Amino acid sequence: MISCFDWYKVRLEPIREMLIECGYDVTVLIADFDHIKKMQIAGKYDECTYIYVPPYKNNLSIQRIHSHFFFGKSVNEWLNDVKPELIYCQVPPNNVAKYCTRYRRENPHTKLILDIIDLWPESIPLGKIKKTLPVKIWKGWRDDAVDIADHIFLECELYQKKLGLGLDKSSILYIFKEQTEEEQILIKKIIREKRDEEKIRFAYLGSMNHIIDIDGIISVVKKIKNHGYECEFHAVGDGESRERFKAAVESTGCKAYFYGSIFDELEKIKILAPCNYAFNMMKGDISVGLTIKSIDYLSYGLPLINNIKGDTWKLVEDEGIGVNVEAKNIPNIVRIESKGVIDIYQKKFTRRTVTQSVEKIIRGL
């Protein structure tokens, strides 16, 4: 199992356990660097094998490209040394897919499963650069791997449609989130204590970077305030856009509470679960169907204010768990019960759903 990113607990751990139960000897290769927190994580999970990668500070930088290329070359060496019978590879980085494809061609008895958790370069705002030859080659590494893989899991239906994949070779594997009994009890307590008052509390969770739609979020906040509501904005996370984001919120007259990065789940619940709505808004040229933060929001019972197309848009529309926002059309915000939001989370985004889906495919292969 290969993952350049720290997706072990939210994706790979239950699959690893299932593979072991099926009789496999499993090695999980992950980078020793957290690409969100920008910190070393070697030794975080005892059962994983860590690959050193050069650290970097900025997401859009030559240093990041170097880090991903370093990881890919190390994976290539490992494959040729160990010669696995089954490869479960998370993509991106696309260069890792390139090495897995090469190995699969040279070892046709090996089964290759891709787990596409993001689309590069589609999800990165590169403007005209997306049409250049290097970017086309970069995209081609993934597309070539898709052609040769035995099965492709995708994080959302949007990715499946964009890659033109059918149900014969691909399936959707949503992110899951586990909750402890203590976390569940705390969320239920906070939901019971919520009051219908003339105050709107907004929540934001996650990176504050170049791809979030700060202007769109501010437009929604302004509209709510224009209806006479007192507003608060509670944000957990950090990033290069944090100060600009906070200043923009404060410019609306909304009280802004920016707590920085918090990794304790109970503390995040105490801050965010009392809110009325959570922002799930990214810039329009980003190809994302379902964000990790949206599942966090649902697990807290928070209705979404969403502009992300594809799976999330459809989920909000079909299940009534929030409001979809178009660029020039901000609908009125209505009160939505937290219990209904929690029900959707429990139905679609649990550990059991992931393991059952993967086991069915692997047994078929």
Side-chain angles (χ1 to χ4, degrees), residues 209-347:
N209 53 26
H210 58 284
I211 64 174
I212 64 170
D213 186 6
I214 294 177
D215 293 339
I217 291 170
I218 297 306
S219 295
V220 174
V221 173
K222 285 180 177 178
K223 178 166 184 176
I224 300 300
K225 282 195 63 63
N226 288 341
H227 284 130
Y229 285 102
E230 180 184 351
C231 295
E232 293 180 359
F233 198 102
H234 298 266
V236 173
D238 210 343
E240 60 263 32
S241 301
R242 175 181 172 176
E243 293 307 315
R244 183 170 75 86
F245 193 6
K246 184 180 180 183
V249 172
E250 290 174 335
S251 72
T252 69
C254 179
K255 293 180 180 178
Y257 302 90
F258 279 59
Y259 302 89
S261 296
I262 296 175
F263 305 116
D264 183 276
E265 189 66 16
L266 290 173
E267 289 303 310
K268 286 194 285 188
I269 290 169
K270 290 174 185 177
I271 292 169
L272 300 177
C275 293
N276 306 102
Y277 305 98
F279 279 107
N280 192 54
M281 297 180 66
M282 301 174 77
K283 291 180 180 178
D285 58 347
I286 306 300
S287 293
V288 176
L290 188 74
T291 61
I292 295 175
K293 76 177 70 180
S294 64
I295 297 172
D296 283 322
Y297 291 150
L298 299 182
S299 75
Y300 302 153
L302 293 175
L304 306 180
I305 299 177
N306 172 70
N307 74 343
I308 296 175
K309 303 296 184 180
D311 300 62
T312 312
W313 190 277
K314 188 173 186 296
L315 194 66
V316 168
E317 200 170 68
D318 293 348
E319 305 293 347
I321 56 168
V323 177
N324 285 326
V325 176
E326 296 276 10
K328 296 181 180 180
N329 179 26
I330 303 172
N332 291 325
I333 305 298
V334 296
R335 296 282 183 178
I336 296 171
E337 292 293 328
S338 294
K339 184 182 181 303
V341 179
I342 292 284
D343 289 344
I344 294 301
Y345 156 69
Q346 293 175 340
K347 178 182 176 183

Side-chain angles (χ1 to χ4, degrees), residues 137-193:
I137 293 172
W138 182 31
K139 177 177 178 290
W141 291 338
R142 180 205 62 212
D143 293 345
D144 192 28
V146 165
D147 289 339
I148 199 172
D150 296 281
H151 192 81
I152 302 105
F153 288 113
L154 302 108
E155 192 194 59
C156 57
E157 289 183 13
L158 176 67
Y159 294 174
Q160 192 177 41
K161 291 176 181 176
K162 281 189 170 288
L163 295 177
L165 294 170
L167 298 178
D168 57 324
K169 193 179 177 179
S170 68
S171 51
I172 309 305
L173 193 67
Y174 286 126
I175 306 163
F176 81 95
K177 181 182 180 183
E178 281 192 291
Q179 286 182 328
T180 66
E181 185 177 356
E182 185 179 9
E183 290 164 4
Q184 292 173 0
I185 291 171
L186 177 58
I187 291 168
K188 288 177 181 177
K189 178 178 182 294
I190 291 172
I191 288 173
R192 284 196 305 269
E193 294 174 351

Side-chain angles (χ1 to χ4, degrees), residues 1-3 8 12 16 19-20 24-30 47-51 78 82 84 86-88:
M1 306 184 75
I2 302 165
S3 176
Y8 181 64
L12 300 184
R16 172 185 174 271
L19 287 169
I20 290 172
Y24 283 94
D25 176 17
V26 184
T27 299
V28 181
L29 301 177
I30 63 174
E47 60 269 43
C48 293
T49 298
Y50 289 86
I51 292 178
W78 188 92
V82 176
L86 171 67
I87 302 171
Y88 185 100

Side-chain angles (χ1 to χ4, degrees), residues 88-115:
Y88 185 100
C89 176
Q90 286 194 329
V91 181
N94 295 4
N95 64 309
V96 178
K98 175 186 71 171
Y99 290 121
C100 290
T101 303
R102 180 186 300 170
Y103 181 86
R104 173 67 172 78
R105 286 197 170 103
E106 294 171 353
N107 300 271
H109 64 281
T110 298
K111 300 298 182 183
L112 173 60
I113 295 175
L114 298 182
D115 184 3

